[in-house]
Amino acid sequence: MEKYAANISSIREAQARIKSLAHTTPVLSSESLNAMSGRQLYFKCECFQKGGAFKFRGACNAVFSLDDNDAAKGVVTHSSGNHAAALSLAAKLRGIPAYIVIPKNAPQCKVDNVMRYGGQVIWCEASLQSRQEVANKVVKETGGILIHPYNDGRIMSGQGTISLELLEQAPLIDTIIVPISGGGLISGVALAAKSINPAIRILAAEPRGANDTAQSKAAGRIITLPETETIADGLRAFLGDKTWPVVRDLVDDVIVVEDNETVEAMKLAFEILKVVLEPSGAIGLAAVLSDTFKKNPAWKDCRNIGIIFSGGNVDLGILWDSFRK
Amino acid sequence: MEKYAANISSIREAQARIKSLAHTTPVLSSESLNAMSGRQLYFKCECFQKGGAFKFRGACNAVFSLDDNDAAKGVVTHSSGNHAAALSLAAKLRGIPAYIVIPKNAPQCKVDNVMRYGGQVIWCEASLQSRQEVANKVVKETGGILIHPYNDGRIMSGQGTISLELLEQAPLIDTIIVPISGGGLISGVALAAKSINPAIRILAAEPRGANDTAQSKAAGRIITLPETETIADGLRAFLGDKTWPVVRDLVDDVIVVEDNETVEAMKLAFEILKVVLEPSGAIGLAAVLSDTFKKNPAWKDCRNIGIIFSGGNVDLGILWDSFRK
């Protein structure tokens, strides 16, 4: 797997680098949800990670990979929020500045997280183009190092540490369902898991209104969409040139999920598991409970399924509103 | 400690009995909450226990302690909800009936839990007297064994298994803060913890509107109240003759908490930890963050504090309403 931007060695190095800084997150299970799905489910709770999402793993690995000269000028990124908060926290732990370009439509709780961790917020428009332009400008002005939210081997390696932990916590796992957006999480998870056990199936969960991965896999090349529409605000990004080859080669299928299924999954997580999930965080549970998955004969022998609960940064008011619709 | 209804041996026996049936719940931590409290906090997440509360430990120990003849007739209890659901589930696992007397004002989600686990609901009035009368009637009619929610050595022993786990997961702990109602939880926790390390401080957290424990400790005898008023619906019961001696002897102090502090703690658990807590479940966090605790010189050397998150059965609508007040 040497042709990719990350590999099992870089992921093990990341694990050693971030071990004392990141939480080892617990794996929960529920007989009620096992019964509903007809499988054994293992929920890897990255919502309990520092900053409330898996993003801290990659950000921490990236920030602590920098040599002292590079680090001193600080780090820069653009993000819908969870990577931003994670990078702010990692930078704070290293004692360097973090410059965060955030689109104006980001959820308030994610912006609050950035500020709580001492990140310096620079606003931009909601478009990917505006994000990138503003971020490039900040890089020029500060000399800071741009840490892309996902299209970066250090980020992919950090996220891959989830698989190392998960497969130790639940060694029977034969399948992992992972939310997909830009592909940083799933590429790290896939590289680590398939390196440990090539038979493990890696399935992406993607919202109908941002199903660029399903389209990309069908087309055999990166497809971007003119616009996206989904409640899962963390899943609107498109694949990058470093994540795409891994997604192309190692992701076994993409499960496309409706937003109402994602809301129902958030509700089940709240009521049965007592876990707070943002929509992006709940989409894996939605996927495993969907007819799309249950009725697909290709996946009927997936028995022990790891599901990545990727994050829990959701405003209670928004959660309540979405439950009542 | 042989004079009490439970002891370290009965608690270790309970652990062996319920090990394969109950979840080993995770311990979470948060640097944000450590900073707010000025201590190292270890949150023992019994909200993730089966049935959404610690109660399953005691119920499971009681049900699986019965000999086959006694068990066959089923079990009976009266409860505001979490013990009821727990007993229903334990009975279901043993394949025996559970007859559950529930007051009409119990939260809907707790009643739903009883029904989900196959318990047979028998309604009563909200008073303790009505609960007991109806429960006695059911015992007569069915021949079932009454399993009291807390005033029972088997229940106390089951709850005590929390300490065995917690002190293995977080060996540095010098203090444990425990919600108190009838005393089943805290008596088990105290007996196990002090048996392992007599220097560990056990502090009860109690709502102002149901502060019968603080009054009982001051009076040196069980005090009951003509009425109670608190958002913490799980903390309205009074001490029993089996729990009181342990509370009298082994509980080092009672921290009385205002309902608004408890609501704020629920909010912090939601926003920072991504954990759903019912009011009773959050009162320990409220206690450690209260001025009552922080400013008490007696507790200034409590550095590593275990906090029992006792349960998470709360309706989202009720949670949202309480946050907006």
Side-chain angles (χ1 to χ4, degrees):
Chain A
M1 298 187 191
E2 292 312 308
K3 56 186 168 172
Y4 304 119
N7 57 46
I8 187 69
S9 302
S10 68
I11 294 167
R12 291 200 191 279
E13 281 164 28
Q15 191 179 38
R17 191 173 285 122
I18 72 175
K19 205 175 180 62
S20 65
L21 299 162
H23 288 311
T24 299
T25 54
V27 172
L28 299 182
S29 63
S30 156
E31 288 182 20
S32 303
L33 293 173
N34 289 348
M36 284 176 70
S37 68
R39 329 278 173 130
Q40 296 286 318
L41 306 180
Y42 301 87
F43 304 109
K44 179 65 170 165
C45 291
E46 286 299 299
C47 47
F48 303 149
Q49 189 51 265
K50 288 185 184 174
F54 72 95
K55 293 279 190 178
F56 181 69
R57 294 175 185 264
C60 192
N61 186 49
V63 164
F64 284 84
S65 299
L66 298 174
D67 67 37
D68 288 347
N69 284 339
D70 283 345
K73 292 174 186 159
V75 286
V76 183
T77 199
H78 56 88
S79 162
S80 70
N82 280 335
H83 172 67
L87 194 69
S88 302
L89 178 55
K92 185 182 168 192
L93 293 175
R94 186 147 183 195
I96 63 174
Y99 307 99
I100 312 294
V101 178
I102 298 187
K104 286 174 184 166
N105 65 345
Q108 187 58 40
C109 69
K110 296 193 177 182
V111 179
D112 290 345
N113 273 345
V114 167
M115 293 181 171
R116 174 184 301 147
Y117 296 131
Q120 300 181 33
V121 173
I122 299 126
W123 297 102
C124 70
E125 300 304 319
S127 71
L128 186 60
Q129 195 191 350
S130 169
R131 289 189 190 195
Q132 287 171 338
E133 281 172 7
V134 176
N136 290 339
K137 190 161 158 275
V138 174
V139 166
K140 266 193 198 150
E141 287 172 7
T142 62
I145 307 287
L146 186 70
I147 309 284
H148 192 276
Y150 53 86
N151 201 41
D152 181 311
R154 299 163 295 187
I155 296 292
M156 294 157 66
S157 299
Q159 322 306 29
T161 61
I162 292 172
S163 282
L164 303 182
E165 278 178 29
L166 176 59
L167 294 176
E168 201 164 293
Q169 292 165 311
L172 292 177
I173 280 176
D174 54 46
T175 306
I176 308 178
I177 301 182
V178 191
I180 194 161
S181 182
L185 173 60
I186 203 169
S187 58
V189 165
L191 284 163
K194 297 232 181 194
S195 171
I196 292 169
N197 176 1
I200 289 178
R201 266 81 60 102
I202 304 293
L203 305 179
E206 183 171 67
R208 170 79 58 199
N211 67 344
D212 55 290
T213 305
Q215 293 191 37
S216 300
K217 291 277 282 181
R221 62 185 172 83
I222 299 177
I223 301 284
T224 61
L225 305 174
E227 54 186 24
T228 55
E229 185 171 344
T230 171
I231 192 179
D233 58 276
L235 302 182
R236 292 197 189 115
F238 306 128
L239 298 163
D241 62 353
K242 294 194 166 61
T243 55
W244 161 245
V246 187
V247 171
R248 180 192 61 205
D249 299 347
L250 302 186
V251 171
D252 295 282
D253 204 356
V254 182
I255 307 163
V256 176
V257 175
E258 309 299 333
D259 273 3
N260 66 325
E261 295 173 320
T262 297
V263 170
E264 182 60 23
M266 288 165 73
K267 200 155 178 263
L268 290 169
F270 185 98
E271 291 178 351
I272 296 182
L273 296 174
K274 319 303 176 191
V275 171
V276 179
L277 295 180
E278 59 186 282
S280 315
I283 197 170
L285 176 57
V288 83
L289 296 174
S290 69
D291 281 345
T292 313
F293 178 78
K294 284 185 175 174
K295 294 187 176 165
N296 188 332
W299 311 125
K300 73 176 193 311
D301 59 342
C302 297
R303 302 245 54 86
N304 293 288
I305 305 180
I307 292 181
I308 313 286
F309 280 173
S310 56
N313 291 315
V314 63
D315 292 314
L316 179 63
I318 290 175
L319 193 65
W320 176 229
D321 284 345
S322 68
F323 285 11
R324 283 185 302 180
K325 270 179 194 155
Chain B
M1 298 189 189
E2 291 312 308
K3 56 186 170 172
Y4 304 118
N7 56 46
I8 187 69
S9 303
S10 68
I11 294 167
R12 290 200 191 279
E13 281 164 28
Q15 191 180 38
R17 192 174 284 123
I18 71 176
K19 205 174 179 60
S20 65
L21 300 162
H23 288 309
T24 299
T25 54
V27 172
L28 298 182
S29 64
S30 156
E31 287 182 20
S32 303
L33 293 173
N34 289 348
M36 283 176 70
S37 69
R39 330 276 174 134
Q40 297 285 318
L41 307 180
Y42 302 87
F43 304 109
K44 179 66 171 164
C45 292
E46 287 297 299
C47 46
F48 302 150
Q49 189 50 268
K50 287 185 185 175
F54 72 94
K55 293 279 190 179
F56 180 69
R57 295 175 185 264
C60 191
N61 187 49
V63 164
F64 283 85
S65 299
L66 297 174
D67 67 36
D68 288 347
N69 284 339
D70 282 345
K73 291 172 187 161
V75 287
V76 183
T77 199
H78 56 88
S79 162
S80 69
N82 281 334
H83 172 67
L87 194 70
S88 301
L89 177 56
K92 185 181 168 194
L93 293 176
R94 185 146 183 196
I96 62 175
Y99 306 100
I100 311 294
V101 178
I102 299 187
K104 287 176 183 165
N105 64 345
Q108 187 58 40
C109 70
K110 296 193 176 182
V111 179
D112 290 345
N113 272 346
V114 168
M115 293 180 169
R116 175 183 301 148
Y117 297 131
Q120 300 181 34
V121 174
I122 299 126
W123 296 102
C124 71
E125 300 303 319
S127 71
L128 186 61
Q129 194 190 353
S130 170
R131 289 189 190 195
Q132 287 171 337
E133 281 172 9
V134 175
N136 290 339
K137 190 161 157 273
V138 173
V139 166
K140 266 192 198 151
E141 287 171 8
T142 63
I145 306 288
L146 187 71
I147 309 284
H148 191 278
Y150 53 87
N151 202 40
D152 181 311
R154 299 164 295 188
I155 296 292
M156 293 157 66
S157 297
Q159 323 307 27
T161 62
I162 293 172
S163 283
L164 303 183
E165 280 179 26
L166 176 59
L167 294 177
E168 202 164 292
Q169 292 165 312
L172 291 177
I173 280 176
D174 54 46
T175 306
I176 308 178
I177 301 182
V178 192
I180 194 160
S181 183
L185 173 60
I186 203 169
S187 58
V189 165
L191 285 163
K194 297 232 182 196
S195 171
I196 293 169
N197 177 1
I200 289 178
R201 267 79 63 102
I202 304 291
L203 305 179
E206 183 171 66
R208 171 79 59 199
N211 68 343
D212 55 290
T213 305
Q215 293 190 37
S216 299
K217 291 278 282 184
R221 63 185 171 82
I222 299 176
I223 301 284
T224 62
L225 305 174
E227 55 185 24
T228 56
E229 185 171 343
T230 170
I231 191 178
D233 59 277
L235 302 182
R236 293 198 188 113
F238 306 128
L239 298 163
D241 63 353
K242 294 194 167 61
T243 56
W244 162 244
V246 187
V247 171
R248 179 192 62 206
D249 299 347
L250 302 186
V251 171
D252 295 282
D253 204 355
V254 182
I255 307 163
V256 176
V257 175
E258 309 299 333
D259 273 1
N260 67 326
E261 296 173 320
T262 296
V263 170
E264 181 60 24
M266 287 166 74
K267 202 157 178 258
L268 291 169
F270 186 98
E271 291 178 351
I272 296 183
L273 296 173
K274 320 303 176 191
V275 171
V276 179
L277 295 180
E278 58 187 283
S280 315
I283 198 171
L285 176 57
V288 83
L289 295 174
S290 69
D291 280 346
T292 313
F293 177 78
K294 285 184 175 175
K295 294 188 176 165
N296 188 332
W299 312 125
K300 74 177 191 313
D301 57 341
C302 297
R303 301 246 54 89
N304 293 287
I305 304 180
I307 292 179
I308 314 285
F309 280 171
S310 55
N313 292 314
V314 63
D315 293 316
L316 179 64
I318 291 174
L319 193 65
W320 176 228
D321 284 345
S322 68
F323 285 10
R324 283 186 300 181
K325 270 177 193 156

